[in-house]
Amino acid sequence: PLVAGRRHPHNLEPFAHRLGDIVVRRAVPNAFAHRPIWHPQGKSFYVIQLHALVMELDASNFSVIRDHLHYEAGKPVYFRGGLAHSAEGLLALGTTDHAKKGEDLELYVLHMSNMQTKKKIPCPNASHIASAPNLSVAFVGGRNSYPDGKPAEFLAVDLKSGEVVKPELDFALDPRTFVVSPDGQHLFGTDGKAIARFRIDGMQLIHEETSEPVIAASTEPSLEMSSDGSEVWLLGLDPAKRHVPDGASFKVFSASKLADETKTSPADVFSAALDSSRKAFVWSDAKTPLAIWRADEGRAYYDFKCGTPRQIIMNPAGGSLLLLAGPDLFHVRWSEKPAE
């Protein structure tokens, strides 16, 4: 039940649902395509609701720790895409004018203490940010969330000075998807077929290694990484149907040595994650919202009503995850005892 005397997200589902040995709750309706992030210690998470409200929520009871509704000159800020940690504050991308179709998008640096705006830096047409808690540099790109807008470029942003550059690379990096390791030392990108690792040196990227080709170039790539930064994998969607192509599969690679394949995934996966604390591999596929493979128990499938496409964001402390499915954000945790 809800915690008396505390504020909660709008339309939070009042009760959780037990499905076997997991507990599921629709925690944040209308999160849309705003990918949330966990606090590094895993006790809370940051999420955007209804485009303009940025919140930090207690993961144990979903009460609001701090939040801010963003308006500028009487207009709501429409955040596009997800959030990211940095050494300078929480990062988000926003606009106040849909008519510009992303050309006026800015990178918002938010105070961690109150979610209010600290600084804004122009980053046109972007929807994706990657950085780390120890970095004062962010990398920006993504898919322009306005269908008829201009494509985003891959940019490096100095969060202190506001300088924005386009890194010179010897690799045809796809600006739509990339990740930064939690320790802030490496960026992983793709050319749409293989995975490449780059060492971060200020605003420059030094290409270190490239994996074998792992997906077809005709798919829309999506790069993911384990919460501890040890493993990385590349997924692909059919760009027309926004669905995983029939017969698709992907390989999981060691982040420190892309020549080492650690496992091969099930097919037709929307998103995946690793819970190293419980030795569990989690994925969401075309048939079921959530599936879990455990070394000592095998596979288990969990069916509940939710939309597509889906993204899984694993708690870095293990034991729970966030599932962004269609417009809604679900919280899933492993219960102590299976339901009888």
Side-chain angles (χ1 to χ4, degrees):
L2 303 182
V3 180
R6 300 294 299 272
R7 294 186 299 119
H8 299 83
H10 180 66
N11 283 342
L12 167 68
E13 193 171 31
F15 294 95
H17 304 274
R18 185 185 292 273
L19 300 173
D21 60 346
I22 70 169
V23 177
V24 181
R25 191 172 191 175
R26 190 176 64 166
V28 186
N30 302 313
F32 299 108
H34 306 303
R35 181 182 173 92
I37 55 172
W38 286 94
H39 186 282
Q41 295 180 353
K43 294 181 179 180
S44 64
F45 58 92
Y46 303 86
V47 64
I48 298 169
Q49 187 176 39
L50 296 169
H51 301 303
L53 178 62
V54 182
M55 304 181 287
E56 181 183 3
L57 301 180
D58 186 320
S60 67
N61 56 35
F62 311 108
S63 62
V64 175
I65 297 174
R66 53 184 60 86
D67 65 350
H68 185 69
L69 183 63
H70 286 260
Y71 271 74
E72 293 181 1
K75 295 181 178 180
V77 175
Y78 297 99
F79 288 109
R80 318 291 289 184
L83 298 165
H85 288 293
S86 78
E88 305 304 314
L90 192 67
L91 305 180
L93 290 156
T95 176
T96 56
D97 189 351
H98 285 313
K100 294 184 178 179
K101 301 178 181 179
E103 292 189 14
D104 68 332
L105 272 162
E106 295 177 295
L107 178 62
Y108 282 65
V109 183
L110 308 179
H111 289 283
M112 297 298 295
S113 60
N114 56 19
M115 306 289 102
Q116 295 182 20
T117 303
K118 178 180 179 181
K119 180 185 293 185
K120 296 188 297 180
I121 303 168
C123 291
N125 308 308
S127 66
H128 178 57
I129 319 158
S131 188
N134 62 338
L135 283 182
S136 293
V137 172
F139 300 92
V140 177
R143 305 166 180 84
N144 191 330
S145 55
Y146 295 94
D148 51 351
K150 296 179 180 178
E153 293 185 301
F154 178 70
L155 304 172
V157 183
D158 186 317
L159 299 173
K160 290 185 175 180
S161 69
E163 181 185 5
V164 180
V165 301
K166 186 175 180 180
E168 295 183 4
L169 302 173
D170 60 357
F171 178 85
L173 190 143
D174 190 319
R176 294 176 294 177
T177 184
F178 46 88
V179 295
V180 167
S181 59
D183 61 9
Q185 294 187 16
H186 291 93
L187 179 140
F188 292 79
T190 179
D191 58 357
K193 296 177 290 185
I195 303 170
R197 186 182 67 248
F198 301 85
R199 179 168 55 84
I200 298 172
D201 182 12
M203 297 176 72
Q204 300 302 313
L205 296 172
I206 292 84
H207 187 189
E208 292 185 336
E209 187 182 10
T210 301
S211 75
E212 63 183 67
V214 289
I215 64 170
S218 60
T219 58
E220 184 175 302
S222 179
L223 194 61
E224 297 185 334
M225 171 173 275
S226 59
S227 58
D228 63 1
S230 65
E231 295 178 287
V232 64
W233 53 90
L234 183 62
L235 307 174
L237 288 177
D238 183 319
K241 299 178 181 178
R242 299 297 297 162
H243 197 278
V244 182
D246 292 339
S249 65
F250 70 95
K251 298 177 180 179
V252 180
F253 294 91
S254 167
S256 61
K257 190 175 181 182
L258 293 175
D260 289 350
E261 178 188 336
T262 61
K263 60 178 67 69
T264 299
S265 84
D268 56 31
V269 171
F270 279 110
S271 183
L274 297 168
D275 184 348
S276 56
S277 70
R278 285 169 169 74
K279 298 181 180 179
F281 181 56
V282 184
W283 69 92
S284 181
D285 61 32
K287 296 178 181 178
T288 55
L290 203 65
I292 302 175
W293 177 87
R294 300 175 180 88
D296 55 347
E297 300 177 24
R299 297 184 185 185
Y301 296 89
Y302 306 91
D303 193 11
F304 53 93
K305 186 177 181 180
C306 67
T308 58
R310 307 185 188 114
Q311 297 179 64
I312 298 172
I313 305 95
M314 181 63 70
N315 187 333
S320 65
L321 60 85
L322 300 172
L323 175 66
L324 186 60
D328 300 325
L329 181 68
F330 293 81
H331 179 271
V332 180
R333 64 177 173 85
W334 328 141
S335 61
E336 294 299 324
K337 295 180 181 179
E340 296 181 355

